[in-house]
Amino acid sequence: TPPSKLEAKYYYTSLPSRPVLVARTKAPTSPKAYLRAKELCTIGNHALKEVWEDKLSLQLHAILDSMKVRWSSTNIIHIGITGESSTPIILWVGMMPTSLSRDDGIIVASKCWDLLEEYNITDVNIEICESVVTCLSSPRLLKPAKSFDPTIDVCECLTMTVGLPICAQNTPWAKGTGSLFINKGRNTERLLLLTTHHVVFTPNKSKNWLFKYKKGPHDNVMLFGDAAFNKYLESIQAEIETKAIIINLCKRFIKAIEGKDDAAEVRECQKFEIELNKVNKVIGALNTFYQDVSTCWATPESHVLGHIILSPPINVDVGNKGYTEDWALIEVDASKVDGGNFNGNAIDLRTDIPPIRLTRKMYPNPWNAHSFTYPANHLLRLKGTIQDNEMHNPTALDQNGEPCLPIIMHGSTSSLSIGHANNIMSYAQEYYDDSTDTLKEWAILSYNSKSSAFLSKGDSGSVIADGLGRIGSILTGGTGIMDSLDITYATPITFVLKRMQENGIRKPNVSLVLTA
């Protein structure tokens, strides 16, 4: 039977985007059981892995297309009750909002179930929800700040680490993220930056063509658009105001305690005086930093990070793996970087996640081999790549003992995110006026039900890596129904590097160091 209106509304209420349930093949075991908090997990080892990408997914999409339903994504994941170790595997089908009734949804779910039975797969449930796939689109840059630097909490956006906030000069409202710095072979002077095609070129089916710079005016890429830069200045000012409040509180406490003979209160007064001196130094450094940024980065020209040199058209089912192609290369302006402020790709781990909690998150199961050490300088160096075989057959275990790959990302909007990579690919459907495209994607899930969404708008192009610093993929989009997305989609970096070589970038190198 179709879900009730209440079940449809609240079934996924604990997920980031809170999508609407349309249909399911297994009803709740008790009244209002659907209200219990749920979380998404990777599938681990299952017979479905062997037939999904090459056979079953193609047949499933053909069935959905033949029924003329507007499906948006197909994913294989665990959707279980938070805290329970036994969670069902779900074929999770996304539908465009309001395009499928709950009664028709039951028919679609039944057809999906019949297909699974043809493969003798009877332990996988079908769930259909409403979901939309979304693409998340001069002064010298700074060295990464040391842990004792007073400006450490505000200077990250201007440092030479991955996750720079970028946009095309022609579309400053379309924010994205600079993924990886790359050079060609042994050329240590010319630095390239990787991002997605849809960040630097507005997606347009009729103007989706190869861009290759030869000569003439540049198609510039900016570090910050105008609105983003103003917001950044406001964040620095807010940090200054916060320190001013602390200074005022310290002065009041010192005044209230001064002159008293009690030994404990004297010690307390000394603590406030030490804190006052410390914060006075910090606020002085922040004011200087604010003046430097607002002056040196004041003109539009100062925001030019570089120009686009190569970007193939967005395409689907590319190569023998059938991945989606969505990438662009930017040549970084030589005035922005040299060996003095850049010595390799790195993710800055210094956020509001304490080192101990971050380390525990990268070890979801105590039986996992040692694969992450929090670096003393907060910078996780990126080198090497995660190969396709390990994406499909990870050696680590999640909290439920299922195979998983803990991964980490630093986006220009989300900052630092921890999640788990699914070991089976997902598919997304994009609609145009007279055609559709089916995209094959590597699916990334949030860490658990208490975590926020893994990505936010503006994170497109971000690099995703494991705890060893091996590069896995670049982020391209996600699926969900609200601003928060439930599943993140990414393209494997091994595929992107191979396509670069096929497009004339000789021996693209991600494990690089520039000469000063």
Side-chain angles (χ1 to χ4, degrees):
T1 59
S4 66
K5 288 184 178 180
L6 284 176
E7 183 186 355
K9 181 178 180 180
Y10 293 109
Y11 189 81
Y12 298 117
T13 191
S14 59
L15 299 186
S17 83
R18 303 171 66 183
V20 174
L21 173 68
V22 176
R24 71 285 186 265
T25 54
K26 184 176 181 180
T29 55
S30 61
K32 296 187 178 181
Y34 57 81
L35 293 174
R36 300 178 68 185
K38 300 175 180 64
E39 64 182 359
L40 310 182
C41 300
T42 58
I43 73 155
N45 293 318
H46 193 274
L48 195 54
K49 282 179 57 182
E50 305 304 319
V51 296
W52 172 245
E53 290 179 30
D54 295 331
K55 298 178 181 178
L56 199 154
S57 63
L58 304 181
Q59 293 176 262
L60 173 66
H61 300 158
I63 290 172
L64 295 174
D65 291 340
S66 70
M67 299 182 75
K68 300 188 184 305
V69 295
R70 291 175 58 81
W71 65 277
S72 60
S73 62
T74 54
N75 309 277
I76 306 293
I77 51 176
H78 280 289
I79 303 182
I81 304 300
T82 301
E84 293 187 358
S85 58
S86 178
T87 58
I89 292 181
I90 304 296
L91 168 53
W92 204 25
V93 182
M95 293 287 170
M96 299 298 288
T98 70
S99 67
L100 186 69
S101 69
R102 295 197 296 276
D103 288 326
D104 290 339
I106 291 295
I107 298 173
V108 174
S110 177
K111 291 287 187 182
C112 296
W113 177 264
D114 291 343
L115 176 61
L116 292 180
E117 283 194 319
E118 291 180 17
Y119 285 85
N120 295 318
I121 296 173
T122 57
D123 59 345
V124 174
N125 298 327
I126 315 296
E127 292 184 9
I128 300 174
C129 71
E130 293 186 353
S131 183
V132 177
V133 175
T134 303
C135 291
L136 309 171
S137 35
S138 96
R140 190 176 298 276
L141 291 169
L142 307 174
K143 288 183 179 180
K146 303 293 185 182
S147 58
F148 53 81
D149 191 321
T151 66
I152 191 169
D153 292 326
V154 294
C155 70
E156 181 185 8
C157 291
L158 298 177
T159 61
M160 287 299 298
T161 52
V162 299
L164 290 174
I166 63 172
C167 64
Q169 190 172 32
N170 294 331
T171 54
W173 59 87
K175 176 188 172 186
T177 300
S179 177
L180 288 167
F181 294 101
I182 295 172
N183 57 20
K184 295 170 63 174
R186 296 182 178 180
N187 184 348
T188 59
E189 296 178 356
R190 189 183 182 203
L191 191 65
L192 309 178
L193 178 64
L194 174 66
T195 189
T196 61
H197 179 102
H198 73 261
V199 165
V200 293
F201 294 111
T202 303
N204 187 325
K205 189 74 171 179
S206 63
K207 297 181 179 179
N208 184 32
W209 48 57
L210 169 68
F211 178 89
K212 204 166 190 177
Y213 179 75
K214 295 181 180 178
K215 61 180 180 178
H218 291 165
D219 284 75
N220 288 330
V221 173
M222 317 290 284
L223 185 67
F224 296 115
D226 291 341
F229 181 64
N230 290 333
K231 188 174 181 180
Y232 177 53
L233 288 177
E234 290 172 3
S235 71
I236 302 173
Q237 193 63 47
E239 187 69 17
I240 293 172
E241 291 171 359
T242 299
K243 301 303 181 188
I245 292 172
I246 295 174
I247 287 174
N248 185 45
L249 287 173
C250 286
K251 287 180 177 179
R252 287 169 53 198
F253 286 137
I254 291 170
K255 185 176 181 180
I257 298 173
E258 270 182 336
K260 296 185 178 180
D261 296 330
D262 184 78
E265 290 183 330
V266 170
R267 288 194 298 270
E268 191 74 8
C269 184
Q270 291 172 342
K271 289 180 181 179
F272 281 121
E273 287 174 343
I274 292 171
E275 180 68 13
L276 179 60
N277 290 331
K278 176 183 174 182
V279 179
N280 269 322
K281 292 178 181 178
V282 171
I283 203 169
L286 287 172
N287 277 312
T288 300
F289 183 73
Y290 180 86
Q291 292 301 320
D292 288 344
V293 172
S294 58
T295 301
C296 297
W297 295 82
T299 64
E301 292 76 19
S302 65
H303 290 226
V304 176
L305 182 63
H307 68 279
I308 308 163
I309 62 164
L310 176 64
S311 186
I314 297 176
N315 207 350
V316 300
D317 196 20
V318 177
N320 60 347
K321 298 289 186 179
Y323 291 126
T324 303
E325 184 160 42
D326 181 6
W327 59 271
L329 282 178
I330 301 154
E331 182 170 344
V332 180
D333 190 323
S335 68
K336 290 291 191 291
V337 59
D338 62 22
N341 63 355
F342 176 75
N343 61 354
N345 284 306
I347 295 177
D348 193 339
L349 303 181
R350 180 199 37 77
T351 64
D352 57 354
I353 305 177
I356 293 177
R357 186 151 64 95
L358 176 58
T359 301
R360 287 175 176 169
K361 281 193 168 189
M362 296 303 291
Y363 285 99
N365 191 303
W367 292 103
N368 287 339
H370 187 73
S371 60
F372 175 76
T373 300
Y374 194 95
N377 64 355
H378 307 283
L379 299 177
L380 177 64
R381 297 292 176 189
L382 304 184
K383 55 184 179 180
T385 59
I386 302 172
Q387 299 301 306
D388 272 21
N389 181 59
E390 188 169 352
M391 289 181 180
H392 288 83
N393 302 285
T395 56
L397 303 175
D398 66 11
Q399 57 268 37
N400 298 319
E402 295 287 354
C404 79
L405 181 62
I407 47 84
I408 192 165
M409 176 201 77
H410 196 296
S412 63
T413 302
S414 295
S415 189
L416 199 67
S417 293
I418 312 297
H420 293 158
N422 204 6
N423 54 338
I424 190 167
M425 295 294 163
S426 290
Y427 293 85
Q429 183 92 317
E430 289 190 345
Y431 290 86
Y432 304 96
D433 291 340
D434 56 357
S435 64
T436 60
D437 281 338
T438 302
L439 293 70
K440 182 180 178 180
E441 306 282 1
W442 192 25
I444 310 295
L445 310 179
S446 297
Y447 181 75
N448 59 24
S449 62
K450 297 179 181 179
S451 305
S452 57
F454 183 79
L455 79 166
S456 298
K457 290 183 178 180
D459 286 337
S460 272
S462 300
V463 62
I464 296 172
D466 69 2
L468 294 173
R470 296 180 303 167
I471 301 160
S473 59
I474 63 169
L475 190 155
T476 55
T479 184
I481 199 61
M482 299 171 66
D483 287 340
S484 293
L485 301 175
D486 301 307
I487 298 179
T488 297
Y489 290 145
T491 300
I493 192 65
T494 51
F495 165 77
V496 176
L497 293 175
K498 182 180 179 183
R499 289 294 295 150
M500 283 184 195
Q501 294 190 71
E502 293 170 352
N503 279 272
I505 302 299
R506 183 172 175 269
K507 295 182 179 179
N509 176 25
V510 296
S511 305
L512 68 162
V513 176
L514 289 189
T515 54

